[in-house]
Amino acid sequence: MNNTYNVDVTMRQEKMAPVKKSPVVNQFDVITRRYRSFYANCWIDRSTAAKFECLERAIKEKSTSIYTRDVFLQEFARRVDLLLDSKHFRDAVEALVPPLKPYDVATHIVVLGWKELEEVLLHEGYKTLRSFPEWTEPIYGMDVLNPYLENPQKMIEDKREATA
């Protein structure tokens, strides 16, 4: 009787299909990936305004009832903060010819994806940064990201110093 039970349990285990775990999807990366595909098709207009329009279109297309535009902006600001916390990044951007504002450049790097952000922060990618014409304006101004930034007062002070 004990043998029958073991055979029966073994047969049931063989018949059961393995449970596939769905990969965890980072919605921020889904939106920025979609943005990059939209922007890649804008080969005539490579301005910051075009980047903004492509990003807004990607947000509208890929946002959900849970992952809203506000949640996206919160994550966007968090990643901008990561870049701005790096003194090396800030110094490298200010040393570019022409010198640029770290906040403006950070908004452009964030939409390039996590790998590029990681390259700049962890693998000294800030040493190889070069200036692009559209990097003179941020994709999202401080007025949009200010509620989500960790240290917005420091940004305002930096902006005052840059204009003085």
Side-chain angles (χ1 to χ4, degrees), residues 46-127:
R46 303 304 263 176
S47 66
T48 303
K51 285 184 172 189
F52 175 78
E53 290 300 321
C54 291
L55 190 54
E56 285 296 313
R57 185 173 168 199
I59 292 169
K60 188 175 282 188
E61 184 180 297
K62 295 294 183 179
S63 63
T64 64
S65 60
I66 296 171
Y67 200 90
T68 62
R69 181 176 186 271
D70 283 339
V71 175
F72 175 83
L73 290 175
Q74 185 176 17
E75 178 66 17
F76 191 94
R78 189 180 72 78
R79 292 182 185 203
V80 167
D81 269 337
L82 279 173
L83 283 166
L84 295 177
D85 282 345
S86 168
K87 178 153 176 42
H88 295 293
F89 170 75
R90 295 172 70 86
D91 291 344
V93 170
E94 290 168 354
L96 289 172
V97 177
L100 298 173
K101 297 174 191 158
Y103 174 83
D104 298 351
V105 174
T107 63
H108 290 275
I109 291 175
V110 165
V111 296
L112 295 176
W114 184 254
K115 285 183 183 178
E116 284 74 8
L117 188 134
E118 188 178 65
E119 177 66 30
V120 168
L121 288 177
L122 302 177
H123 305 291
E124 299 183 345
Y126 56 85
K127 290 181 178 178

Side-chain angles (χ1 to χ4, degrees), residues 139-152:
I139 295 177
Y140 285 113
M142 279 195 233
D143 56 328
V144 175
L145 293 185
N146 214 11
Y148 310 108
L149 288 170
E150 193 172 297
N151 196 353

Side-chain angles (χ1 to χ4, degrees), residues 9-37:
V9 169
T10 306
M11 288 178 63
R12 271 192 243 140
Q13 287 175 347
E14 289 174 358
K15 289 180 185 179
M16 293 173 51
V19 176
K20 292 183 181 179
K21 293 182 180 178
S22 61
V24 176
V25 177
N26 183 337
Q27 200 63 25
F28 184 89
D29 292 336
V30 168
I31 290 172
T32 54
R33 204 173 308 121
R34 187 65 177 147
Y35 150 79
R36 289 189 298 276
S37 72

